[in-house]
Amino acid sequence: MPAIRSAVARGLSMGVEEEFLLVDPATARTAPAAPAVLRRVLREPPPGDGGAYQTELLTTQIEASTGVCTTLGQLRRQLTAGRRRLAGAARAEGLRLVSSGSPVLGHQGPCPVTEGDRYARIVALYGTALEDYQMCGCHVHIGVPDRDTAVAVVNRIRPWLPVLLSLSVNSPSDGTKDRGYASWRIVEQARFPSAGIPPRFASAAAHDAEVDRLVEAGAISDPAMTFWLARPSSRFPTVEFRVADAAATVDEAVLQAALARALVRTALAGPAEDRPVPLLDAQVGDTAIWTAARHGLAGPGVDPLTGARGPAVARVQALLDHVAGSLEETGDTAEVRRTLAAVCRWGTGAERQRAGWMLGGPRAVVDLLADQTDPAGGPGPRGTPGPPGSGLPEDDVPADMGEPT
């Protein structure tokens, strides 16, 4: 308990891994150029803040990660620097860097797989299910004292994962057309074992034993391969949130990190305040995730604990109420409210993509995404072509989600 209290007092560290797509602006199709872009990026000395760049499973994807951050301002600077560096290298190759959970138009033919033994094992395991799996996420790491604490935290934050998804939806296309989902990435991810909300575990040992069992059964290739939407990291002393689609803007990536940290802080305080671990029915939890993937904020949401259906924005307000004390303690309330108000006003990433398609087709969406991915972009007039009616009506924005007075 002293270690947990100390961790909460320090505010908890954060780090973010962002996955991006490389796109040919002339065709709006993804381009298998990650090795060339990465070579350009690595010509410069590595950043002194602990950030890093790497390839992903398919050569149309590339990743930037921040170092360990303790404030949202520090995190914002590192996210901005990472995007700027990757975007510049992509431009030098004649391409655009876009942050989208799925491609607007996919690669012509099967995507080349990145070289490496681990990637080869993954492809051998899942076969053709991966040949067009160009899905990208925004993964948030929040530091905790130890793995047992990480497991206990994940048990407590599970009911809030659908809300984080509804805020982040940014993948309406499967790479060929709009599929009518705000997050097609989540639908695609469901094809793999260990997808969705994680089970509840009694300890880190129980969690690790289950992961080992999945590896032994051939469901996953290694312990780092689980598809759960939140988990104890296999590499770092963190809780890893994997629920969000790739964040359209730096603002929206920072929002995910701020809410994730507030959830972890609130979960750490649960035992001290004698709050019980929430009991979550797996079927209702899956329904809540599916509903968030289907509608984002522009429709209903489901409370995973009760099964009650109501406006998705009401679930966002419930999350804000749940973490209000933690946001105040870290001084993040104003920033979270500002970004939430902008997302509600201009629409989620998925809504903005659809508005761009209506105005100019796939190339317009790529231009929109590239502008939003640029650190100077944001979910507002510059980053949104939105015609009237895109986003949520002002009357649907809860009063507490606007700027503080």
Side-chain angles (χ1 to χ4, degrees):
M1 191 68 71
I4 292 175
R5 281 198 290 266
S6 174
V8 174
R10 289 197 304 270
L12 303 182
S13 62
M14 302 170 287
V16 174
E17 298 166 343
E18 293 200 281
E19 297 168 345
F20 303 97
L21 291 166
L22 297 167
V23 178
D24 182 335
T27 65
R29 292 190 176 277
T30 51
V37 171
L38 189 62
R39 282 194 297 271
R40 285 187 178 274
V41 168
L42 297 181
R43 288 175 187 172
E44 302 177 29
D49 53 25
Y53 308 90
Q54 64 185 43
T55 53
E56 273 293 323
L57 174 67
L58 301 177
T59 58
T60 55
Q61 300 168 296
I62 197 163
E63 178 182 294
S65 60
T66 71
V68 177
C69 301
T70 57
T71 68
L72 295 187
Q74 183 185 18
L75 181 67
R76 178 183 297 281
R77 288 190 293 274
Q78 293 193 23
L79 288 167
T80 298
R83 287 183 176 219
R84 181 175 292 133
R85 193 164 174 179
L86 278 182
R91 282 195 299 272
E93 294 290 329
L95 303 173
R96 307 296 299 273
L97 182 77
V98 303
S99 189
S100 175
S102 64
V104 179
L105 293 180
H107 182 253
Q108 191 72 48
C111 289
V113 176
T114 301
E115 294 181 359
D117 291 343
R118 181 170 184 262
Y119 292 139
R121 290 196 305 272
I122 293 171
V123 171
L125 179 62
Y126 295 121
T128 56
L130 283 177
E131 69 181 12
D132 60 346
Y133 188 72
Q134 301 178 78
M135 304 296 145
C136 296
C138 174
H139 300 168
V140 177
H141 289 261
I142 307 297
V144 291
D146 53 64
R147 284 182 62 76
D148 277 314
T149 301
V151 169
V153 165
V154 172
N155 287 341
R156 289 179 177 273
I157 58 95
R158 293 187 306 153
W160 301 106
L161 295 174
V163 187
L164 295 181
L165 174 60
S166 69
L167 287 166
S168 76
V169 291
N170 188 33
S171 55
S173 172
D174 68 350
T176 62
K177 63 181 179 181
D178 189 327
R179 296 304 297 258
Y181 280 73
S183 176
W184 188 250
R185 166 181 160 268
I186 289 295
V187 177
E188 289 283 313
Q189 200 173 89
R191 66 171 80 170
F192 300 107
S194 74
I197 295 177
R200 179 177 171 179
F201 293 104
S203 64
H207 170 275
D208 294 347
E210 178 64 14
V211 171
D212 289 343
R213 192 165 70 120
L214 291 171
V215 174
E216 179 65 25
I220 57 177
S221 64
D222 56 65
M225 193 62 195
T226 56
F227 287 89
W228 288 318
L229 299 178
R231 65 185 188 182
S233 172
S234 61
R235 298 178 293 155
F236 307 115
T238 63
V239 172
E240 183 180 5
F241 289 75
R242 301 168 59 84
V243 65
D245 281 356
T249 64
V250 168
D251 274 357
E252 287 158 296
V254 171
L255 175 64
Q256 285 290 318
L259 292 173
R261 180 165 70 165
L263 279 168
V264 173
R265 285 176 59 86
T266 303
L268 288 173
E273 297 173 4
D274 203 28
R275 294 198 303 268
V277 177
L279 298 177
L280 181 63
D281 179 85
Q283 295 295 319
V284 178
D286 288 346
T287 299
I289 288 290
W290 179 85
T291 304
R294 180 73 170 85
H295 301 289
L297 289 181
V302 172
D303 184 337
L305 297 178
T306 67
R309 182 179 167 101
V313 289
R315 296 299 305 148
V316 177
Q317 186 61 60
L319 171 59
L320 288 181
D321 293 342
H322 178 69
V323 300
S326 293
L327 289 174
E328 284 295 325
E329 289 164 2
T330 53
D332 296 339
T333 301
E335 174 134 11
V336 165
R337 285 179 172 174
R338 176 184 66 80
T339 308
L340 280 173
V343 171
C344 286
R345 183 170 300 114
W346 297 104
T348 59
E351 291 173 283
R352 301 196 302 268
Q353 284 199 44
R354 285 171 172 150
W357 190 287
M358 289 175 62
L359 289 179
R363 292 186 189 179
V365 181
V366 169
D367 288 342
L368 165 68
L369 288 167
D371 283 347
Q372 291 180 146
T373 302
D374 186 296
R382 178 184 180 278
T384 306
S390 69
L392 297 175
E394 289 292 331
D395 290 346
D396 287 347
V397 181
D400 290 346
M401 286 169 59
E403 293 281 7
T405 56

